[in-house]
Amino acid sequence: MASSGEVAKKMDKEENVNNGDDVHDIENDGSLDGNDEQIGRYWSQFSERNMTYEEPLLVKRINTTSQIAIVGSNLCPIESLDYEVFDNEMFNQDWRSRKRVQIFQYVVLKWVFALLIGLGTGLVGLFNNISVENIAGFKLTLTTDLMSKQRFFEAFLAYAGLNMVLAAAAAALCAFIAPSAAGSGIPEVKAYLNGIDAHSILAPTTLFVKIVGSILGVSAGFVVGKEGPMVHTGACIASILGQGGSKKYGLTWSWLRYFKNDRDRRDMITCGAAAGVAAAFRSPVGGVLFALEEAASWWRSALLWRSFFTTAVVAIVLRAGIQFCSTGKCGLFGEGGLILYDVGSPQTEFSAGDIVAVIVLGTVAGILGSIYNFLVDKVVRTYSIINEKGPFFKIFLAVAISLLTSCCYYFLPWIANCIPCPTDSKVPCPSVDESGEYKIFQCPPGYYNDLASLFLNTNDDAIRNLFSPKITKEFHISSLFIFFATVYFLGILTYGIAVPSGLFIPVILAGAAYGRVVSRLFEPITQLDRGFFSLLGAASMLGGTMRMTVSICVILLELTNDLLLLPLVMLVLLISKSVADIFNKGVYDQILKIKGLPYLEAHAEPYMRNIATRDVVSGPLMTFSGIEKVGNILHVLNTTGHNGFPVIDEPPFVDAPELCGLVLRSYLLVLLKAKNFTREKVYANPSILENISVLDFGKAGSGKGVKLEDLDIQDEDLDMYVDLHPITNTSPYTVVETMSLAKAAILFRQHGLRHMCVVPKSQGRPPIVGILTRHDFMPEHVLGLYPDIKHHKWH
């Protein structure tokens, strides 16, 4: 990976021709393909005509912001998604021709897809848990057996060796098959739902590596969780289902054509993200709220119902899976990571001392969370230098971190004292299974090692031990502090390696231990249960790092099944988030910036209120006539990377030049491929367009649309004309040139736009001033144009 600023330096020489999508003129070197001389002839005439529309524009400027996303250390051009409903003749005729049965099919299919997303995500979540419990259980059982025979060195070799093999396998999958599967995936899902179409982040290969790599990474003992990757997994499943069929494999049923657009895919991926959280935590309501609070940039009431239905299906699948596995048919998977954590504190009243302790807990956690985010940012930027050197360096880094983790987990328990088993314990001491809280480790019979009970366990079992109200003083305060410090820093060092890795579990682990430490420190003034304090610590650390409140609160309540915890959980989340916001942004927002993804925030920067939309547009502006010459269109498509072009109606068809609308590059390619040309500059006969289907204009799967090289344009075709009116969006979103950039930015994000037309305020001027795209709202771009404006006073 590299920062967006670093990528911007690589692209400083690019020209920002503010006409199309986020990728402006990436290879605009003026070169022509094929019929160079003849196209050039038309270009001179075409350029003269377009010069009339350059007058209102500002001078051409240098691009100062990144137009390249860094996903899994791979540089790739990004584009925005087309969420806007196109209002043109072709689509209007298609809607008019739809029968009631087709509309019914469309509605039913939405719910069918929601059902399939829930089933698929639930089954993957169950599979992940069964696999992790069995692989990690085998590893821990083998280590424990060797230690019971006093073969300590062999136990370490087996433990560390298996961890490194699993880590190398997970890193190799990411390095060679799907680099975009590294990390948690939540920032990528947030970016997609914000309108960013980065390469392969939801591809089938990414899904495969996310599932298998997550299992291997968690089983390898890394301080990572499988919960974050489950969000990405759910989104990938939804994306594959939302492709609307496949021409390659003959899956092109007519009723699937309704889903060949970004709007319906966005809805499905939102449901997928909610299903991922529900599958990770068995928290259906928390999953919906997570999608609403953190993932989605756009929401509506109908989506709330469908996402809730999806998460309910996930909960049913998980419940059925647990009941099946309770018969012992799933190997070492018994309760697994899907059991509700038992806090069950009998304490229902809170004293003043309890409130003071909780306030201190939340305040310190806010500071710790902001430090966590700061260090994660530095580590990820440092690792990017290593990861960019090649796949083998990615694998080497993952194996090195695995060895470090194995050494910490195996050798740190040796410094803990052996503690006599409690006489009133209701569970066997020392523990006889691989997930118990009384690990014997190197201790004699009748004693246990409390640090080993935390380190030599799966992450889920360690959290369960820390949350348990039955365990009061079984963990020494020094052991809790060592465990907290180790997990805190190992979680930071682990994030950024080429392995699918979630942040939820590392933060919950560190927070749970932190809560136990605070409960011991405030023991004289508080009567709250130790397990309850552990839960509050986890909540406070989540609030301090991820800056979520409502969804985290509900997820934790669904995990613990205790509504009596609600008031203090809400209080500690609000305090930790408020304190942490003073220092920096949430961890996912920081990762979005590191990866160079141009994410549009829900609010505009204050200095944008002093800038008008006309102050950031730049030229020259490429426009087409309503009836355009084929040679002109072909040349513009050859020499620019724009994805949207204004269409201008000119005399003699109208009295004065007027903005007809906006046409997309993909639509132009489909129209040119159909070769519905005329020799005269006249409106197209409706019968000429009969050989083009609306299905042809549907959004194809990743990289499968019509490309420029697919066109078969002959020399004689260059002199012919094509009518753009049938495919032109006649109602594009427009703003007046004097509107503040802050107001335009809010409109742009709320409506999920790709292009926003800027029109002149006065009459008698050309009908369009320019086009605003996502790139123009980026703070890096605006501050590049006006570096001093941030320091000016504004009111």
Side-chain angles (χ1 to χ4, degrees):
M1 298 179 196
S3 68
S4 56
E6 292 168 343
V7 181
K9 293 178 183 177
K10 300 177 184 177
M11 302 194 62
D12 275 345
K13 297 182 180 179
E14 296 176 14
E15 297 182 11
N16 176 17
V17 182
N18 193 248
N19 194 96
D21 197 18
D22 307 289
V23 184
H24 300 300
D25 240 3
I26 288 181
E27 295 182 358
N28 188 3
D29 58 358
S31 61
L32 304 177
D33 293 337
N35 311 297
D36 291 355
E37 294 182 7
Q38 199 161 359
I39 296 178
R41 215 169 2 101
Y42 299 113
W43 179 245
S44 60
Q45 179 185 356
F46 181 67
S47 298
E48 290 175 7
R49 188 189 74 208
N50 270 286
M51 284 295 289
T52 62
Y53 299 109
E54 293 176 29
E55 294 173 3
L57 302 179
L58 302 181
V59 296
K60 188 181 294 188
R61 298 196 180 98
I62 299 300
N63 176 20
T64 56
T65 185
S66 167
Q67 298 167 3
I68 287 188
I70 312 224
V71 182
S73 302
N74 276 354
L75 293 178
C76 63
I78 62 167
E79 296 183 1
S80 288
L81 296 165
D82 292 302
Y83 292 152
E84 186 179 353
V85 176
F86 256 59
D87 185 12
N88 59 34
E89 294 178 26
M90 295 285 295
F91 284 91
N92 290 340
Q93 177 60 32
D94 179 61
W95 272 105
R96 287 192 295 267
S97 65
R98 289 190 186 183
K99 301 175 182 178
R100 286 189 177 182
V101 63
Q102 292 174 314
I103 297 174
F104 178 74
Q105 281 180 342
Y106 174 64
V107 174
V108 169
L109 276 173
K110 284 185 175 182
W111 290 94
V112 170
F113 279 136
L115 173 66
L116 294 176
I117 292 168
L119 287 172
T121 309
L123 290 172
V124 169
L126 192 65
F127 173 74
N128 282 1
N129 278 274
I130 293 173
S131 301
V132 167
E133 293 287 325
N134 279 280
I135 297 173
F138 168 77
K139 176 189 68 179
L140 293 171
T141 302
L142 176 62
T143 305
T144 303
D145 289 344
L146 290 171
M147 292 201 69
S148 65
K149 300 175 182 176
Q150 307 294 312
R151 297 160 65 179
F152 300 124
F153 183 68
E154 293 178 31
F156 171 72
L157 289 181
Y159 180 72
L162 287 173
N163 281 345
M164 287 191 288
V165 169
L166 293 169
L173 286 174
C174 282
F176 292 106
I177 299 178
S180 55
S184 73
I186 293 179
E188 285 84 349
V189 174
K190 279 189 65 173
Y192 185 93
L193 295 178
N194 191 252
I196 300 170
D197 189 13
H199 179 68
S200 76
I201 59 175
L202 298 174
T205 53
T206 303
L207 173 62
F208 169 75
V209 174
K210 205 74 181 183
I211 295 172
V212 179
S214 176
I215 292 171
L216 295 173
V218 175
S219 301
F222 282 124
V223 186
V224 298
K226 55 186 177 298
E227 284 69 17
M230 273 306 303
V231 176
H232 197 176
T233 299
C236 287
I237 292 172
S239 176
I240 293 170
L241 289 172
Q243 293 296 311
S246 170
K247 290 183 179 179
K248 181 178 179 181
Y249 299 105
L251 303 176
T252 53
W253 298 292
S254 61
W255 37 270
L256 281 177
R257 67 191 177 109
Y258 304 129
F259 295 90
K260 285 186 173 292
N261 63 82
D262 288 328
R263 286 174 65 85
D264 284 310
R265 289 182 190 174
R266 172 182 60 185
D267 288 357
M268 294 176 66
I269 288 167
T270 304
C271 292
V277 174
F281 294 105
R282 249 182 77 192
S283 172
V285 180
V288 176
L289 291 175
F290 174 85
L292 173 61
E293 180 182 9
E294 182 67 14
S297 298
W298 185 88
W299 196 267
R300 56 196 175 93
S301 57
L303 187 57
L304 182 68
W305 281 101
R306 246 185 299 150
S307 58
F308 184 70
F309 171 69
T310 305
T311 57
V313 172
V314 172
I316 293 171
V317 170
L318 295 180
R319 171 61 66 183
I322 290 175
Q323 288 180 347
F324 173 78
C325 289
S326 63
T327 60
K329 297 179 180 179
C330 301
L332 297 175
F333 179 83
E335 297 168 338
L338 294 171
I339 190 174
L340 296 178
Y341 295 111
D342 178 23
V343 174
S345 171
Q347 181 74 27
T348 58
E349 296 180 358
F350 314 128
S351 65
D354 299 331
I355 301 298
V356 170
V358 169
I359 291 174
V360 173
L361 179 83
T363 303
V364 176
I367 298 171
L368 289 172
S370 61
I371 295 173
Y372 193 95
N373 291 1
F374 173 79
L375 294 176
V376 164
D377 182 271
K378 299 301 179 186
V379 167
V380 170
R381 292 178 187 275
T382 304
Y383 284 174
S384 68
I385 301 172
I386 301 173
N387 288 335
E388 287 175 355
K389 293 181 181 296
F392 292 103
F393 285 88
K394 294 181 181 181
I395 298 172
F396 171 78
L397 179 61
V399 171
I401 298 297
S402 173
L403 180 60
L404 173 64
T405 305
S406 299
C407 290
C408 291
Y409 273 36
Y410 186 82
F411 290 114
L412 283 177
W414 288 86
I415 66 176
N417 295 323
C418 292
I419 304 174
C421 287
T423 55
D424 58 345
S425 176
K426 297 179 181 179
V427 295
C429 179
S431 301
V432 294
D433 63 346
E434 70 280 350
S435 63
E437 63 235 36
Y438 297 110
K439 293 275 189 178
I440 189 170
F441 201 61
Q442 89 292 8
C443 296
Y447 289 79
Y448 73 96
N449 187 309
D450 58 346
L451 258 184
S453 305
L454 296 174
F455 279 127
L456 293 181
N457 251 329
T458 62
N459 292 335
D460 288 337
D461 288 327
I463 293 172
R464 192 175 293 107
N465 288 341
L466 289 168
F467 278 4
S468 175
K470 302 172 185 175
I471 301 176
T472 54
K473 294 186 178 181
E474 279 79 357
F475 298 121
H476 195 273
I477 188 170
S478 61
S479 298
L480 289 170
F481 186 81
I482 292 171
F483 181 75
F484 163 71
T486 304
V487 171
Y488 184 88
F489 288 106
L490 280 179
I492 294 169
L493 290 173
T494 304
Y495 198 84
I497 62 175
V499 170
S501 51
L503 281 170
F504 271 103
I505 291 301
V507 173
I508 291 176
L509 261 180
Y514 160 71
R516 283 257 175 185
V517 171
V518 173
S519 73
R520 301 291 287 274
L521 296 177
F522 282 87
E523 192 171 14
I525 66 170
T526 179
Q527 300 299 318
L528 290 179
D529 182 80
R530 295 279 166 76
F532 187 10
F533 248 108
S534 186
L535 175 79
L536 292 176
S540 63
M541 284 293 290
L542 286 170
T545 55
M546 300 178 182
R547 314 296 160 84
M548 293 181 284
T549 53
V550 180
S551 54
I552 293 294
C553 183
V554 173
I555 286 171
L556 290 175
L557 289 179
E558 289 186 285
L559 275 176
T560 56
N561 200 24
D562 193 345
L563 281 175
L564 298 175
L565 312 177
L566 182 61
L568 291 185
V569 172
M570 293 173 64
L571 176 64
V572 80
L573 278 169
L574 289 171
I575 293 173
S576 62
K577 181 187 184 303
S578 301
V579 171
D581 280 339
I582 298 173
F583 300 100
N584 51 29
K585 290 187 176 182
V587 65
Y588 296 135
D589 294 319
Q590 291 189 169
I591 294 169
L592 278 169
K593 188 171 183 179
I594 293 172
K595 292 194 171 186
L597 296 168
Y599 185 84
L600 285 176
E601 299 289 348
H603 57 84
E605 298 292 340
Y607 54 80
M608 291 185 180
R609 291 177 56 182
N610 289 341
I611 304 175
T613 53
R614 65 186 172 196
D615 296 331
V616 295
V617 297
S618 50
L621 179 67
M622 297 291 106
T623 65
F624 290 128
S625 295
I627 302 173
E628 187 57 82
K629 191 167 284 189
V630 174
N632 291 341
I633 298 175
L634 195 61
H635 180 83
V636 172
L637 296 181
N638 262 309
T639 57
T640 70
H642 308 329
N643 284 281
F645 302 90
V647 177
I648 309 294
D649 275 338
E650 300 171 308
F653 299 99
V654 291
D655 296 333
E658 63 181 36
L659 178 63
C660 175
L662 193 77
V663 65
L664 292 182
R665 181 188 192 91
S666 58
Y667 288 14
L668 287 171
L669 290 170
V670 172
L671 195 63
L672 290 178
K673 187 175 182 180
K675 303 184 73 171
N676 290 323
F677 307 146
T678 58
R679 296 199 176 274
E680 303 297 329
K681 194 172 184 179
V682 295
Y683 287 110
N685 190 320
S687 62
I688 294 180
L689 298 176
E690 290 179 356
N691 64 331
I692 303 179
S693 168
V694 174
L695 185 61
D696 296 329
F697 294 96
K699 181 70 176 283
S702 179
K704 297 175 184 175
V706 179
K707 297 181 175 61
L708 198 58
E709 51 267 27
D710 298 333
L711 302 181
D712 182 23
I713 306 296
Q714 305 301 319
D715 289 349
E716 58 269 19
D717 296 329
L718 299 175
D719 285 320
M720 303 184 77
Y721 293 89
V722 60
D723 186 3
L724 303 182
H725 291 95
I727 63 169
T728 299
N729 180 14
T730 55
S731 58
Y733 284 87
T734 59
V735 295
V736 70
E737 61 182 339
T738 53
M739 179 183 283
S740 74
L741 190 64
K743 192 173 182 179
I746 299 301
L747 289 173
F748 194 94
R749 186 184 192 271
Q750 286 180 343
H751 291 282
L753 301 183
R754 185 177 189 175
H755 309 100
M756 177 182 279
C757 298
V758 181
V759 296
K761 186 175 183 180
S762 58
Q763 297 181 352
R765 297 169 57 190
I768 184 166
V769 173
I771 292 182
L772 292 175
T773 63
R774 178 179 299 270
H775 157 84
D776 300 297
F777 296 103
M778 290 294 105
E780 296 88 349
H781 170 64
V782 178
L783 293 176
L785 299 179
Y786 306 101
D788 298 327
I789 196 168
K790 194 172 184 180
H791 306 291
H792 290 176
K793 296 204 178 275
W794 59 277
H795 301 283

